[in-house]
Amino acid sequence: MVRNWADLPQELLELCSRHLCPKDLWAFRAVCQSWRSAPLKERSNVPWMMLEDHHETQWREFFCLSCQWVHRVLMPEAKGKTCFSSRGWVFTLGRDWELYMLKNPMSRHNYIIKLPKLKFPDVEVLPRYDNFSAKFVLSASPTTSLDYMVMVIYGWGGRLGLWKPGDEEWTAVNFPSPTHNICDLIFYKGCFVAVDCQGSILRCDVNGPTPFETQVIFRMPRRLMHWEHPDLVQPTTGHRLLMTGAYLVQSPTGSLLFVSRWEEREPAQTFQFQVFEIDLNTQTYTEVKSLENTSLFLGSNSSFYLEANEKHHIKPNCIYFADDSWPRLSEEGGGRDMGIYHIEDCTTELYFMAMAYDHYSLPLWIEPSF
């Protein structure tokens, strides 16, 4: 029998570490020298929610879905910055247009990558930086691939920009028509794929002969993209629901999912989602009535899915959504329109209500990445 905690077998330490979230693993390592030197693998298989910026502190708060606790992490790089997330990395955009990419804050290994200032030739007068960018998307994690690329949705007109390691500036991506106003973006089967506010889905083959050109590969029916839904109504008032967001997600089977977000008029809160599976080969779409044992995570982050896990409080057949409505932010803050949408019975469960104290600060999901 072991009489000293420091003499516990490393196999047992490794087994215990599997049940700890990254922050608890740090404390676990700090117990003694033998625990600190044990070959414990740092891992994260649950998403974290990055909460609002409090102005007066250099610490940021993160809600862990697994342990249901809020953890504080020292992140001076994010103080007073607009933040986004993709593949576990956090992008920080400052008032000076300086742009940085930070490895998952929950990892004890810190990596910071400086990107060129976010400037484009088609934007002569820079608007307010806080709503100049809508989303950053990585093609791959910089820790696993040296050939990663970053695409951004920028400007009030929903334009696209591309950056590759070694580039000294961002390059604007061209559209078939100037009417395309991009609202979401993912990296899908070797290409960046975007959807605009009219339901057109565009592909940018960044490894092809025309890496800065997009082409329309599918169009959602106009009736499903109208700002007032023709069929969905608010039961208590009879008002038609208003469309406030469109997302693209890769499904567990590798297919492309289109997700639309609808809200009530009063109060202005998300009421319902619709999910469609798109077959690009047959140019057809099918409404998805069940995600089965997976759930989607949507917000200012690049969208992703995870398998349900009761231990980590990930419920099946749900959409975990964060408040990503920049126009709705005011001096009173945002972060209120957050919850879990249950696809089976079309109900919404209020979830970790955050408060954004700034017009540039919104909660966002951070995808597991290590």
Side-chain angles (χ1 to χ4, degrees):
M1 178 181 295
V2 176
R3 297 181 179 276
N4 191 322
W5 286 103
D7 297 329
L8 288 174
Q10 291 195 351
E11 295 82 3
L12 180 58
L13 294 177
E14 200 281 330
L15 180 63
C16 293
S17 71
R18 295 180 185 178
H19 300 277
L20 301 177
C21 69
K23 283 287 290 184
D24 290 337
L25 184 59
W26 298 354
F28 185 86
R29 289 179 178 275
V31 170
C32 62
Q33 178 61 37
S34 64
W35 287 29
R36 184 161 52 252
S37 59
L40 306 179
K41 182 179 180 181
E42 188 178 45
R43 60 172 63 84
S44 176
N45 53 4
V46 294
W48 290 66
M49 176 171 283
M50 184 175 182
L51 302 179
E52 67 279 1
D53 183 8
H54 285 289
H55 267 314
E56 69 277 1
T57 176
Q58 294 187 348
W59 293 80
R60 291 298 292 261
E61 293 181 336
F62 295 81
F63 176 70
C64 176
L65 203 58
S66 178
C67 68
Q68 299 285 294
W69 280 87
V70 174
H71 300 274
R72 299 177 73 238
V73 178
L74 184 62
M75 286 186 66
E77 305 86 359
K79 178 177 173 58
K81 307 290 182 63
T82 303
C83 295
F84 307 87
S85 177
S86 179
R87 298 186 184 272
W89 287 70
V90 173
F91 292 80
T92 66
L93 178 64
R95 298 176 185 272
D96 53 4
W97 301 97
E98 293 283 351
L99 182 63
Y100 292 89
M101 202 164 59
L102 316 176
K103 189 176 183 291
N104 195 314
M106 295 302 105
S107 170
R108 67 191 182 100
H109 301 291
N110 296 322
Y111 296 101
I112 300 177
I113 299 175
K114 179 174 172 52
L115 281 67
K117 285 190 176 184
L118 199 61
K119 293 185 178 180
F120 294 90
D122 59 337
V123 181
E124 296 181 359
V125 179
L126 294 177
R128 288 161 55 108
Y129 89 102
D130 49 349
N131 59 8
F132 179 72
S133 305
K135 188 165 291 190
F136 290 87
V137 175
L138 278 163
S139 63
S141 172
T143 55
T144 59
S145 174
L146 297 177
D147 297 325
Y148 71 93
M149 292 166 281
V150 183
M151 188 166 281
V152 60
I153 305 174
Y154 72 91
W156 291 324
R159 308 291 297 175
L160 291 176
L162 180 67
W163 176 84
K164 300 179 182 180
D167 291 351
E168 296 183 355
E169 59 184 14
W170 290 82
T171 302
V173 175
N174 298 318
F175 295 149
S177 166
T179 60
H180 295 291
N181 187 338
I182 303 300
C183 52
D184 198 33
L185 172 73
I186 63 169
F187 190 75
Y188 178 71
K189 294 187 175 182
C191 300
F192 284 101
V193 178
V195 60
D196 69 12
C197 297
Q198 289 76 43
S200 294
I201 297 179
L202 303 94
R203 178 169 56 203
C204 181
D205 186 358
V206 289
N207 295 307
T210 55
F212 305 115
E213 303 289 335
T214 60
Q215 64 179 64
V216 177
I217 57 174
F218 189 83
R219 285 187 172 89
M220 291 296 294
R222 278 296 183 91
R223 71 179 192 87
L224 296 178
M225 297 298 299
H226 196 274
W227 72 282
E228 281 191 332
H229 199 284
D231 304 317
L232 301 180
V233 297
Q234 184 178 350
T236 55
T237 65
H239 292 155
R240 292 180 179 178
L241 300 183
L242 306 179
M243 184 176 181
T244 58
Y247 309 87
L248 295 176
V249 194
Q250 180 173 326
S251 77
T253 60
S255 62
L256 183 64
L257 299 181
F258 170 85
V259 184
S260 55
R261 182 172 180 169
W262 302 86
E263 72 172 25
E264 305 170 277
R265 294 174 185 265
E266 294 293 339
Q269 289 185 329
T270 297
F271 185 81
Q272 190 167 342
F273 287 87
Q274 285 189 305
V275 183
F276 298 91
E277 182 176 5
I278 297 174
D279 189 325
L280 296 175
N281 294 324
T282 61
Q283 291 289 292
T284 57
Y285 68 95
T286 306
E287 186 169 6
V288 177
K289 296 296 186 180
S290 174
L291 295 172
E292 298 181 354
N293 199 44
T294 60
S295 287
L296 308 181
F297 291 79
L298 310 178
S300 295
N301 50 277
S302 53
S303 307
F304 61 93
Y305 76 87
L306 289 175
E307 292 187 0
N309 188 314
E310 183 177 357
K311 182 180 71 173
H312 296 314
H313 301 277
I314 302 176
K315 302 178 181 182
N317 197 27
C318 290
I319 296 176
Y320 288 73
F321 61 95
D323 191 346
D324 60 359
S325 180
W326 294 94
R328 191 161 53 221
L329 286 179
S330 65
E331 293 181 356
E332 297 179 356
R336 297 182 179 88
D337 188 19
M338 301 165 60
I340 306 174
Y341 179 75
H342 297 262
I343 294 179
E344 182 177 3
D345 57 6
C346 300
T347 59
T348 299
E349 171 187 351
L350 294 180
Y351 193 68
F352 199 85
M353 301 300 287
M355 169 65 77
Y357 293 96
D358 299 290
H359 55 267
Y360 57 80
S361 181
L362 282 173
L364 57 94
W365 289 108
I366 298 180
E367 182 178 0
S369 61
F370 61 93

